[in-house]
Every structure is written in C-alpha cells, then in structure tokens.
Amino acid sequence: MSIDPQDIETHSHESRWFEPSPEFVAKARVRSAEEYEKLYRESLDSPETFWKRETGDLVFRSPWKELVEWKLPHARWFEGATLNASESCLDRHLSTDRKDAPALIWESEPGETRRMTYGELHQKVVELAAALRGLGVKKGDRVAIYMGMVPEVVVAMLAAARIGAPHTVVFGGFAAESLRDRINDCAAKVVLTQDGAYRRGGVVPLKATVDRAVEATPSVEKVVVFRRLGQSVLPIEMKEGRDLDWDALVKQADPEAGAPESVDAEHPLFILYTSGSTGKPKGVLHTTAGYLVGAHVSTKYVFDLRDSDVYWCTADVGWVTGHSYLVYGPLSNGATCLMYEGAPNHPDWGRFWQIIEKHKVTILYTAPTAIRAFIRQGTDWPKKSDLSSLRLLGSVGEPINPEAWVWYHTNIGQGRCPVVDTWWQTETGSILLTTLPGAHKMRPGSTGLPFFGVVPEIVNKAGEPVGREKGGLLILRRPWPSILRTVWGDDERFRKQYFSEIQGAYFTGDGARQDKDGYFHVVGRIDDVLNVSGHRIGTAEIESALVSHPSVAEAAAVGRPDELKGQALVVFVTLKPNNEPNEAMKKALTEHVAQEIGKFARPDAVRFAESLPKTRSGKIMRRLLKDVAAGRESTGDTSTLEDYSVIARLREED
Ligand code: WT7
C-alpha cells in the first residue's frame, strides 16, 4: 500500500435522504430499521438460530453439525451437511406451482423471446448432466464454460454443479490467450461453448476462439458446442474426436444418469477468475453450501423477491454478479429471471427500457457505468417506454456518484422505486453492504449497512477503528458463509492478499468511511487513492465532482508522478453530446473541481477522450490511464481491457 489510508479525505457533502414509499414498505419482508436491527443482532448473537431458520427452504440432504469453523485464514461453514446446489435451484420447485412458472425469460439481441419453466430448465439440466457423465466427467473434475448470454449457459452451470464438477465460466469477451490461461490454471477436462453469439448487431465467434485456446490446453478432452447461430450464419469447424454437438450429445444421453450428486458442504462449486492490479488472474474458489446460502438469503432480502416479480440482473454470467444474482440466488428462490443476450444500445439506447416494458420487469439490477452511459444519451430514451412495472432498482460494481443515483431514482424509478446500492466482491460471493429496500432510508452514494452476519469495520493500517466520518480501510471481522475459500492452486497468495494486511481480519482492498449515521461509503480500491500535495483523496471523489458538472458524461482521475506535488492529478473526461472539448471547457472543469472539493484538488491536466478504457465488466482501468498520463508503455495484464483501440487513441492525442 503506497499511502496511509488513515489520511483519506472524504468530501462528500451528500446529505439528502430518500425514503421508500409507504406502499413498498407495506409489502416488504423487512419493514423498518428496528426490524432489520433485530434480525442483524440475531445473526451475530445467535447465528445458529438465524441460519437454521433462513436456510430452511434450501435442500440439505443431511443437516450440518457445525455452523462455522474459523481457523484463520480458512473458514468452513455448515460442516456435515450434504447437498447439491442444482437440487436447491431446480428440483425443489418441481413439487410446487413454481414448476410451471418461468425460470428464465430470454430476450435475444435480434428480439426473439424464449421462456423456460422450472420444469423445462430442470429437464435440460438433467440431460446435460447425464451427457457430461457419459463423457467421463466425474465429481471434482473441472468444466470450463465459454458462452454468451443464452439459457444454455445457465443449463451448463447447473449441469456441472449437478454432477459435482466445479465450473469455471470465462466471460465470452476474453481472447483465446486469456481463455487458455484460465483453462490451464484449473486444468479443465471439458469446455462447453457455442458456435457464436450476437453482439451489437455483429457476431462473436466463440467456437473459433476456443479452437485457438485449446491448441495449448493438455487437460481438455472434449469440446461441446451449442448451436446458437447455425452453420448458415456462422460456419464452424468441428474437430473429429474432440468436438461434439450439444444437441446430438444430449439426445443420446440417458436421463436416468442425470441424478444429482450428493456433495459435502465444502465441496468446490466454482472457480471464477478475477484480475488483481498486478500479476495473473486469481482463481477465486467458492464452495457449495456457504456460497449457496449467501446468494440465496441475500437475494431474498435485498431484492425482496416475490413469485410475481420479473427480476432482471443485467450482468453477464461471466462475472460474479451473473453467478450469484442471475443464477444461484434467484433460481434457489424460485424467481422468474429475465436474461438479455445483447448490448444495451442495440439497436438503440432505448433497448433496456423497451425490454422492461415488453416483459413487465419489476426489479432491475445494473451497474453505475451503464447508468452513466444512459445519462449521456438523455432522458428521452427512457421516456419512450412504460416503466410503471418497476418497483425496485439496484446498483453494483463501483461507487455510484450521487448525481447518477438521483438520475436513476428519478428517471428510471420515477421516484417510486427504492434503490439498493450493493457493495460486494467476487471474493465475498454475495452482497455484504446494502440497505434493505423496505427497511431503510437511502443516502445517494452510500452502500448503507451490513447485511446479516456481516461485521465490517473501518480501520487504520494498525487495525485500529478510526471512528465515524474518518477514512480508512474496509475490513471484515468475521467470516460470512460465502467468503472465498482460497485462490485456486495458490493458498499462499490467498493468505497474503486478504489476511496479511490487518491481523485477524479479511482485508477488502477498499477504502471507505462510515458517516455519522453509520452508513458506509466505499470510495474504491485503496490502490486508486491519490496523494496530491499531501492530500489523500479517492479517485472516486474527484470523478464524482467532475460528473456533477452538466457537460461531463464520464471521468477518470489518476495520479502522475510529480516532483513537487508527489502526484499530479490528471483527469480524463468524456463530454456529453453538444459540448466542445476546448480550453474554456478545461478551465471550467478545473474550477468546478476546485469549487466542489477544494483548491488542492484542482486537476493539473484535463484530457478529453471519446471513451475511457474499461474492463469488460465496465470498470475503468485506471492503471492504463496512469501509464498514458505518465507517457509510458503499459506493462502487465491487459487481457481484461474491452477495447484496446481506446488506449491507442488516447496515446495519439498525447
Ligand atoms: C470491487 C469488487 C460486486 C460484484 C461486481 C464487482 C467495487 C462493487 C460497489 C458499490 C462501491 C463497489 C469495490 C469492490 N464495488 N460494488 N456498490 N459501491 N464500490 O466485483 O470485480 O470483484 O469488484 O468493486 O471496489 O472491492 P469485483
């Protein structure tokens, strides 16, 4: 850590409160702060009682003997229990009227709709599970999944879980090299893929990428190909002896062979790769019972799910949000999930709002980066559609600046829908900080309070609590059910990354502050904190100030080494349409930041950009911007960069 977190200055002057409507509260699961407090206290003081009750609807084949064992840094939960995750997500609904309710409503990018009931989804999972067994995939073998947003990717994940084979889903935007490295890191035996996917009106050739990746993956025995597009749209080559057609394979399989494997609570459920700021991606390992419980209980309370809801999480299944809040959380709750194949701006920026109107979506869970993109396109797009079905909104992935929060609340939620700003990580498996929509008032830019069983704290480098209204490191004092268990194949890295910074606690890597009301404000990765003339400030604060200027669509702040100041502040800005990127604008923005935060935070350089370099999950890659600002070549992993040409253009403009 380069700077002392204790000195993080926070300048958010946000003091507005928003209340959930009485109509929302009346129907909510948790209806007041007192009710939340009671449950929260119970989750800490009588965890056995709490978790026993809250997991009552999950299918445990045998009950647990010990709730949690915490031998730092390793936690084990629900020891003694046996279960199968796919059984809790599917089989348990077959004896209820959820059997014929849609589990998935799929909207393709070209505009078709497919519905799959719980009964149908179960059938498909059973067939594929049987087929995988037929290929010799056994409990414990790894299965790699490289697919787009089609119902079959959910089938693939649950089929792997059904036979006890941990899956590793690799986001379909990754290049062959990244896919290869991930397959090799976990030595996957089978790859499930599809010929290609529609994206922004074009075709993404997934199978061809797999072909290149598996040239150098000795562990891979078979590649199973789902035909999303068909030979006439995208011809693919099938390698004799290695490649198998999904449909043909499933047809031959004996459904009797698709019974769920009973696994222990701590049996690996999946490995998901996440990139650190340096080094190769980490294979975050989640295990069966703890992860499933975390996803299940958080989905139920945070989204206040009902059978009548049409719930839409816009994340790709290739990210943890897709795992927890498109698959395991909602399906274990018997929810009806909308799944969209394509881009938010195809064929135009009205697509999300048309989908909401068409399918009467009631809950929308999306990311600040998407919200800012929508803001940039103006309020005319959402106005064209009927959004009256919506009752709850969610945000995840990065700090949401108060302006974007209010825009989302006003223009999408029409002032009627509570907004839950949920903080969590790939490593935490499920939401740890949030408000509960019917219980809490909301403060824009704050992620609210700890979820049940979660004990967060803000500390200095020595691990001492800093108190309210002071910046520091966000840590977690106690293990929660869905905490990652290790980094696949590298337990030492796990220990170092998460448990060496602060004695006896999990270190999140984020800087944060608790306001006087106890609400948490996460300012972002501690590595993103700048030190300008001795002032420590989170990049998010500066970005938030810039985005509050009426001409700014998106902003990224980075430090550039500076002899005088330690770090000079360089900001990259994209402007809203009809704004000129000229000297006068630079001056106006510089003054605006000085006004909003203080003179010390006045940017040393303002650079305009058409777009900012982002990861495929929409996070701005400040590390690359830092290199651009310093005028040096980028070293390190760029495999997560969505569009490399963005960086090339920024360099040209230098
Ligand atoms: C990091 C985790 C959580 C699933 C998607 C991203 C940042 C996430 C928030 C939020 C402020 C947030 C943190 C965190 N983050 N949600 N609501 N407010 N910051 O998962 O890629 O593992 O990233 O995203 O910095 O540590 P991830």
Side-chain angles (χ1 to χ4, degrees), residues 320-321 396-399 421-426 447 510 525 619:
V320 74
T321 309
V396 61
E398 54 177 317
D421 177 2
T422 62
W423 176 92
W424 58 297
Q425 310 178 296
T426 305
T447 60
D510 280 349
R525 313 296 299 171
K619 278 204 191 353

Side-chain angles (χ1 to χ4, degrees), residues 86-87 89-94 99 103 116-129 155 158-159 162 255 258-260:
S86 83
E87 217 170 24
C89 291
L90 301 170
D91 304 57
R92 86 172 184 95
H93 305 305
L94 301 183
K99 177 170 187 257
M116 218 182 254
T117 64
Y118 272 93
E120 288 160 348
L121 182 60
H122 172 262
Q123 183 63 29
K124 285 191 181 289
V125 169
V126 168
E127 287 166 3
L128 185 65
V155 174
L158 292 174
R162 197 162 183 90

Side-chain angles (χ1 to χ4, degrees), residues 274-275 319-321 365 368 395-400 420-428 433 445-447 508-511 521-525 528 617 619:
T274 179
S275 42
W319 310 116
V320 74
T321 309
Y365 190 31
S395 171
V396 61
E398 54 177 317
I400 181 166
V420 285
D421 177 2
T422 62
W423 176 92
W424 58 297
Q425 310 178 296
T426 305
E427 294 87 338
T428 72
L433 297 177
S446 164
T447 60
T508 64
D510 280 349
H521 298 248
V522 174
V523 300
R525 313 296 299 171
D528 292 340
S617 60
K619 278 204 191 353

